[in-house]
Amino acid sequence: MKKEDFKELSDKELLERLDAAEKEYVQEKIQHSISPLDNPAKITLDRRNIARLKTEIRARELKINK
């Protein structure tokens, strides 16, 4: 997903997606350590999506506090 896509989501949806993305990321890391994945670049993409989600959540927190 792109940054613009995250801005359209509600706070609850962002938190749910963050939780799901983190769980998926951990599972992929474990799976990759056992046997190589077909597309190891997906791990990097997942990590970046997690960062985008956290950035959007933090931006909204700062916007509320202003």
Side-chain angles (χ1 to χ4, degrees):
M1 290 184 92
K2 294 187 178 184
K3 184 177 177 182
E4 295 82 29
D5 298 335
F6 292 131
K7 290 186 179 214
E8 296 172 1
L9 299 174
S10 69
D11 293 344
K12 184 178 178 183
E13 288 175 324
L14 279 175
L15 293 172
E16 288 173 358
R17 288 202 181 193
L18 177 62
D19 187 44
E22 286 176 336
K23 287 179 184 177
E24 182 180 346
Y25 174 72
V26 169
Q27 286 296 331
E28 286 179 355
K29 289 282 287 182
I30 293 170
Q31 195 67 12
H32 186 63
S33 66
I34 295 170
S35 64
L37 295 175
D38 292 337
N39 185 8
K42 183 163 180 359
I43 294 173
T44 304
L45 294 175
D46 288 344
R47 191 174 66 238
R48 288 181 181 167
N49 277 333
I50 290 170
R52 287 183 185 113
L53 284 164
K54 287 183 177 182
T55 301
E56 181 61 28
I57 291 169
R58 181 66 178 146
R60 289 182 186 193
E61 287 174 0
L62 293 174
K63 188 176 181 181
I64 291 172
N65 291 335
K66 267 192 167 179

